Each structure stands twice: as structure tokens, then as C-alpha cells.
Amino acid sequence: MTGFNRRKEALLRLLQTGAPSVNALSAALDVSVATVRRDLAALADEGVIARTYGGATLLQRAESTFDFRRQLAAAAKRKIAEAAFEEVKGASTVFLDAGTTIGTFAETLALMQDRLNGLVVVTQSQRVAASLAKVSSIELFLLGGRYQAHSEGVFGPLAEKTIEAFRFDKVFLGADAVSARFGLGETTLEQIRLKEIAMQRSTNVCVLADDTKFHDQDLPFWVTLPVGAKVIANDMAQQLRDEFRRAAIEIKA
């Protein structure tokens, strides 16, 4: 995977929050201003963004829908999903978060359904539910709540109340950003609150994240990962591995 492809999803996520300057993007991604300008030029050539004075903005037709984001780092997400499948062994009840990587994981569960036996899956994700609805070896529970089109999931007090009825052998979570220092970052408090409750209902937490997610992006809401949590990634630099291990978080990459 090229450097540009690794940065592409992170750039698009940053641009979703507004039209940050080239300097702000450079600082967030920890790359040079020249590199950011080249990346923005490449995205403009793809028709994904429009250049502005000192920065860029997402084009209306390229707003980050679930399907649009699902195509980003698709190969990495498949690799992560295959690795995460091994974590299901021995579990009887699991929670699957919303998000594109978790959605790919659900597709993997459906493809490998002959290796499952009586698995209970709880999710707030419409996409996950659709992937698993016809899998006879899975008993599926879909939380209720306020629907959020961006993630194709439900959130809010109803979802939070319902999830408290379960205890999970394992929870599988995604996030907009993953940090050894801060944990999981999201754009809304509702997303963070549901992750927090899910983690409280289990002693085994797995985070599924491709290598564009590992940064302390200036997101407003975060939840700390518990000691012993596992991060499943397609790739991770040694420095990051060391940071997570110092935080007592296991790495599988």
C-alpha cells in the first residue's frame, strides 16, 4: 500500500469536519505540507475534492456515505476481518459495532458460517444485521434507537438501555481514530457512549482498525480502552506497537 493510500481515508475524514488548511492537515497527519498538497492534488484528480485557497473541501457528490467509505482501504479491511474471525472461536455471545470495518467483518462471518455454531450476535448496525440475517447458525439481535445514516447504526438512550440486557464474551469495535493514549475517538458522544457500555459488558474487547486510524486526530469525544484490550490491524509501525504495549493493549497485525 502506497503512502498516499494509507493517508487517503484519514484525509477524507478530516475534510468531513470542514475545510481545514493545508497546515492543519499536515500537522494532523504528521507529514510535510508538500506531501499534503500532492495528496490533495491526487484527490482532486479523482474528482473527490475541490481545492480551495489554502486547503480543500469534499465535493457534494463525494460526501462520505457508508458505501463510499467502505471502498477505502478495502483490502486492509478484509485482512483485518479474516484475522478477527479467529477471535470468535470459543465465544457464544458477541457484540458488533457499526462502521465499515465491522461491516466487512460481518460479511466474513456470513461467508464462514459453516464454521460457526450457535453464535449470538448483538449489533446496532443495520449493515451488520443485513449481512447476518439469513445465517442460520447465528441468533441475531438488532438494537433499537435513533438511526444515524452516516454509520448506518442506531444510537441514543434506547440503544444504551437495550444493550445493558446482555453480557458479551467479546465485543468487536471500530472507531474514527485509535490512540494508545486516548483510546477510541468519534465525532458524536452517542457513538462513544454505546462503545463504553459495550466494553463494560465484557472482559474481552477487540478493536478493528486499518492503519489510517492510528492518530490522535482532533476529534471531540473519546473513550479509554481497558487494560488487556486487543487491537487488530492490517499493519502498524513499531513505534505505535510499543506505545500500545506500554498501555497494556495487545496488538495483532
Side-chain angles (χ1 to χ4, degrees):
M1 181 184 293
T2 67
F4 168 65
N5 286 331
R6 285 194 297 271
R7 293 186 298 274
K8 184 175 181 179
E9 186 170 359
L11 270 169
L12 292 172
R13 284 200 307 272
L14 288 165
L15 291 171
Q16 287 170 33
T17 64
S21 68
V22 169
N23 287 335
L25 293 170
S26 170
L29 297 172
D30 194 24
V31 296
S32 70
V33 168
T35 296
V36 170
R37 287 194 175 116
R38 285 195 299 271
D39 288 352
L40 293 178
L43 289 173
D45 289 342
E46 291 180 10
V48 174
I49 67 166
R51 296 298 302 272
T52 63
Y53 180 75
T57 185
L58 283 172
L59 293 175
Q60 183 68 24
R61 69 177 180 82
E63 286 183 352
S64 190
T65 64
F66 190 97
D67 285 327
F68 177 77
R69 288 180 289 111
R70 184 174 175 272
Q71 296 173 25
L72 302 174
K77 291 170 184 176
R78 287 194 297 271
K79 179 180 178 181
I80 292 165
E82 290 168 2
F85 183 82
E86 299 303 315
E87 300 297 322
V88 177
K89 291 179 179 178
S92 59
T93 304
V94 301
F95 175 75
L96 268 60
D97 199 1
T100 57
T101 306
I102 299 295
T104 302
F105 178 45
E107 292 171 359
T108 300
L109 289 177
L111 288 171
M112 299 185 177
Q113 58 183 279
D114 58 325
R115 294 171 57 185
L116 301 174
N117 183 23
L119 183 67
V120 175
V121 175
V122 182
T123 186
Q124 90 271 35
S125 167
Q126 181 188 53
R127 186 66 63 111
V128 168
S131 295
L132 300 179
K134 295 182 180 180
V135 179
S136 60
S137 55
I138 287 179
E139 185 177 3
L140 181 66
F141 290 85
L142 178 61
L143 302 181
R146 185 178 64 81
Y147 182 70
Q148 184 185 86
H150 175 74
S151 63
E152 296 194 356
V154 296
F155 302 90
L158 181 58
E160 294 165 12
K161 183 66 175 177
T162 308
I163 199 174
E164 290 176 344
F166 296 91
R167 181 195 176 281
F168 305 109
D169 297 306
K170 290 191 176 181
V171 299
F172 295 88
L173 305 176
D176 279 350
V178 183
S179 164
R181 180 182 178 188
F182 297 111
L184 305 180
E186 292 286 5
T187 56
T188 71
L189 183 59
E190 287 180 327
Q191 290 171 296
I192 285 299
R193 180 58 183 149
L194 201 60
K195 293 180 198 298
E196 182 178 42
I197 296 173
M199 288 191 286
Q200 291 170 354
R201 309 301 297 170
S202 179
T203 57
N204 294 288
V205 175
C206 294
V207 177
L208 278 54
D210 68 76
D211 58 352
T212 67
K213 303 290 183 71
F214 299 111
H215 52 79
D216 294 345
Q217 181 179 319
D218 189 21
L219 291 170
F221 304 107
W222 292 81
V223 61
T224 303
L225 285 170
V227 170
K230 178 179 290 187
V231 173
I232 304 175
N234 60 303
D235 192 19
M236 184 179 290
Q238 187 60 49
Q239 179 181 348
L240 282 173
R241 290 174 185 265
D242 293 341
E243 290 176 7
F244 279 100
R245 284 168 178 156
R246 284 195 293 270
I249 296 170
E250 186 179 346
I251 301 300
K252 183 175 182 178

